[in-house]
Amino acid sequence: MSIVIGGRAGINSVSFSTNETKVKAYRNKTGEIKINVTSKKKSIFGQIGQKLDKIPFIRGIWMIFEGYLDSWKTILFIFGIYLATLFLSSRFITKMPSSIGNKIVHHTFLIWYTYILIILLLVLYSLFIKFSPVGKYHSAEHMVDNAFEKSKNISINNVIKYSRIHHRCGTNLCVFIILFYIIFSLFIKSLILSFLLGCIFGYEVYKINTRWISPFLRPIYIIGYFLQKNLFTTPPDKEHLLVAKAAYECILKIHEANKNGI
């Protein structure tokens, strides 16, 4: 069984997290692998996250906030593009005389515009990953954890045997969030509220791991697996696997030390 609760790939890095620690391995300018270790126990946000992660539905809201903390610059940039393009493209609708019919048209436009923008951003993001080192580090992250989970052996010769598709990849979570967002937006006028509810319910379904429910979710996971393989991962080279391995070895040592009270 895996010891990590999450992982992330960067342009030249791989990070893994447990409930207590986050470890990031990266290559510096000279090509050496360096390690950064962050204790969640010493972080106020880490302590709050550990407590809230035990509360259903509330933890979905925290997941949004935590994701913003990790990627706030990217999120603000994307949100800025969304607002700017939405303002420009919807001006001709807002100039129409106010009526119930026009309000419905405006709401429908907002929904479909958001859908199209989400798809466009996913395509652009996938192209960035596909043609940058991120896709290879993302694959390495998955392969190392798969190797440990199934064999407890993360030697490079063993890791290369495992899939670059991972059951707990954030891509699968995004599929659930988008699915619930679409459902809620059909009945709720507020796109922000629809998104929040999509994140909350999507996260709860993503966390389900019971044998009698999981088979019903498999068709949705198949979508996530397809996106992982074809858009968000690229077969890694040895240099990418070594970085992921270094991060995993470090977090294993810390985990064992914490378990033994060292």
Side-chain angles (χ1 to χ4, degrees):
M1 186 175 180
S2 175
I3 66 164
V4 302
I5 61 171
R8 175 170 293 189
I11 293 178
N12 68 338
S13 65
V14 173
S15 61
F16 291 105
S17 299
T18 64
N19 286 322
E20 298 84 20
T21 312
K22 178 180 178 180
V23 172
K24 178 180 178 180
Y26 64 96
R27 286 192 182 275
N28 62 15
K29 294 180 179 180
T30 63
E32 295 177 289
I33 298 177
K34 298 293 183 180
I35 304 286
N36 283 340
V37 178
T38 305
S39 174
K40 292 184 178 180
K41 293 180 179 180
K42 297 179 181 179
S43 166
I44 183 64
F45 292 116
Q47 294 173 19
I48 294 173
Q50 289 182 39
K51 293 178 181 179
L52 294 183
D53 194 54
K54 299 175 183 178
I55 307 175
F57 299 104
I58 298 298
R59 59 193 177 189
I61 298 175
W62 175 255
M63 181 268 297
I64 300 170
F65 179 71
E66 195 172 33
Y68 175 78
L69 289 179
D70 287 340
S71 310
W72 65 271
K73 292 181 181 179
T74 303
I75 292 173
L76 282 181
F77 177 72
I78 293 173
F79 191 62
I81 293 176
Y82 172 73
L83 290 179
T85 55
L86 180 61
F87 172 76
L88 293 173
S89 58
S90 63
R91 285 185 66 184
F92 73 96
I93 290 181
T94 56
K95 287 182 178 180
M96 296 172 65
S98 178
S99 68
I100 295 177
N102 287 336
K103 288 181 179 179
I104 294 174
V105 170
H106 192 207
H107 176 63
T108 303
F109 171 79
L110 286 174
I111 292 175
W112 282 104
Y113 177 80
T114 304
Y115 291 164
I116 293 171
L117 187 63
I118 288 173
I119 294 172
L120 179 61
L121 288 174
L122 284 174
V123 170
L124 293 175
Y125 183 59
S126 67
L127 289 174
F128 167 74
I129 291 178
K130 205 70 178 175
F131 296 103
S132 75
V134 178
K136 295 188 177 184
Y137 281 114
H138 193 194
S139 295
E141 170 207 333
H142 288 178
M143 292 167 69
V144 169
D145 190 53
N146 282 333
F148 181 83
E149 188 172 2
K150 294 178 174 63
S151 70
K152 298 296 185 292
N153 179 0
I154 59 171
S155 66
I156 297 300
N157 289 336
N158 188 57
V159 169
I160 59 177
K161 301 175 185 176
Y162 288 87
S163 173
R164 66 179 194 266
I165 294 174
H166 201 290
H167 181 72
R168 290 181 289 111
C169 177
T171 304
N172 297 337
L173 172 59
C174 289
V175 172
F176 281 111
I177 289 174
I178 292 172
L179 176 63
F180 277 99
Y181 166 77
I182 292 173
I183 293 172
F184 283 116
S185 66
L186 295 175
F187 305 99
I188 299 174
K189 290 185 177 181
S190 172
L191 297 180
I192 294 177
L193 180 58
S194 297
F195 174 73
L196 289 174
L197 290 173
C199 289
I200 292 169
F201 282 87
Y203 188 70
E204 290 304 315
V205 175
Y206 172 76
K207 295 278 285 186
I208 292 175
N209 194 28
T210 54
R211 292 183 178 179
W212 63 276
I213 294 181
S214 295
F216 295 99
L217 300 177
R218 183 163 180 77
I220 302 175
Y221 273 103
I222 289 175
I223 298 173
Y225 296 155
F226 174 83
L227 294 175
Q228 283 184 56
K229 183 176 181 179
N230 295 283
L231 298 180
F232 299 118
T233 62
T234 305
D237 300 322
K238 185 178 179 179
E239 62 182 283
H240 307 102
L241 294 173
L242 286 172
V243 172
K245 179 176 180 286
Y248 213 94
E249 285 177 336
C250 182
I251 211 162
L252 277 174
K253 290 178 182 178
I254 296 172
H255 177 75
E256 287 299 318
N258 289 339
K259 190 168 67 173
N260 297 326
I262 299 175

